[in-house]
Amino acid sequence: MKLSKLVIGLSLAVGFMATVAAQTTMRINISIAQNSHQGVGIDTFAKEVEKGTAGRYKIQTFYSASLGSERESIEAVQLGTQELTFSSTGPVPNFVPEAKILDIPFLFRDKAHARAVLDGPIGQEMLAKFEPKGFKALAWGENGMRNMTNNKRAINAPDDLKGLKIRTMENPVHVAAYKGLGIVTTPMAMQEVFTALQQGTVDGQENPLSVIMAAKLDQVQKHVSLTGHVYSPAIFLMNKAAFDKLSPADQKVFLEAAKVAVKANRARVDADDAMGVTYLRGKGMNVVETLDKTKFVSALAPVYADFEKQFGKANMDKIRNYK
Ligand code: EAX
């Protein structure tokens, strides 16, 4: 073989190895299907990171709790055995108790209010609270406004909830509030919910229309009421040490990618909310669209008294009145 050919061959091989060696793979996951507001979120994030780092970082995406439940995934990110996760705040209070306040029912009037708070100083200061716990919280995304579904009866007023056995997230704020409404709460991970509803272990569950559709809960639930009883944030979490290892320029790329991902995630929630009622009726569900939310708020009065003690009325009002 000619020497020049050998040199070219060798340098190509070395160049190729250098490219391969320079690529770092990271994992991100969600607990629901890819075809969802969360799937769009992590797919967008992966694409943006790869684009912004010219392929030096590859983000592998996993769906439907294939890497573990939301709680297990947050734990893995904290430990550093997994780099990233996109999760609802369901299990978050067990890791960062300060974030609990965001899970209070009827705290946010609607998605626009919640997005403004999360994008503003309150939300941004909250992201910083994750750092001492081993996380870099990249951005707030969302699940949306949660609605009640069940197989027993149409929910029109708070009394209709009494005695229903409802699956909840593993979230102490939700559990306390729902108990206050007379619900028999059964916390469990999302991937167990379909079967639990199918087998009648629980009567119902509550989730945004986005999740109800993505998880095909219409196949195992008769009634849905647009209670919109609590805003469900979601969050892009990264292992803090993994984030700190990135160059400052790459850190910017990751943060920017999360922002672009949140835009796609929220847009899909809006689209799902716009078509959800028609879609679920088409699937045979009985949808209660209008109900007097002030009655639910009144029924929660004793619970709010507890929350005001726990979180401070001023802190709750600051969120409620945020413009
Ligand atoms: O984050 O567990 C839940 O009900 C969540 O809303 C769902 O898994 C998506």
Side-chain angles (χ1 to χ4, degrees), residues 194 212-222 279-280 283-285:
F194 188 95
I212 296 170
M213 290 190 282
K216 298 187 167 46
L217 299 185
D218 49 86
Q219 293 178 4
V220 286
Q221 290 282 265
K222 179 85 193 85
Y279 176 88
L280 293 174
K283 294 280 178 189
M285 284 191 90

Side-chain angles (χ1 to χ4, degrees), residues 50-105:
E50 285 168 26
K51 197 172 76 186
T53 62
R56 283 178 292 105
Y57 286 90
K58 160 124 192 77
I59 309 291
Q60 282 183 324
T61 48
F62 297 86
Y63 314 94
S64 303
S66 63
L67 285 188
S69 69
E70 289 189 333
R71 182 173 49 73
E72 288 162 341
S73 305
I74 295 174
E75 210 164 64
V77 169
Q78 189 178 42
L79 289 169
T81 52
Q82 184 178 320
E83 297 80 12
L84 292 140
T85 192
F86 186 41
S87 173
S88 79
T89 51
V92 164
N94 303 311
F95 300 87
V96 182
E98 291 95 326
K100 269 189 202 174
I101 191 168
L102 299 175
D103 295 316
I104 298 174

Side-chain angles (χ1 to χ4, degrees), residues 31-32 38 70 88 143 146 167 169 190 206-207 211:
S31 69
I32 56 172
Q38 293 189 2
E70 289 189 333
S88 79
N143 245 346
R146 300 180 80 89
R167 175 270 172 175
M169 296 201 285
M190 187 61 202
E206 44 79 58
N207 249 308
V211 177

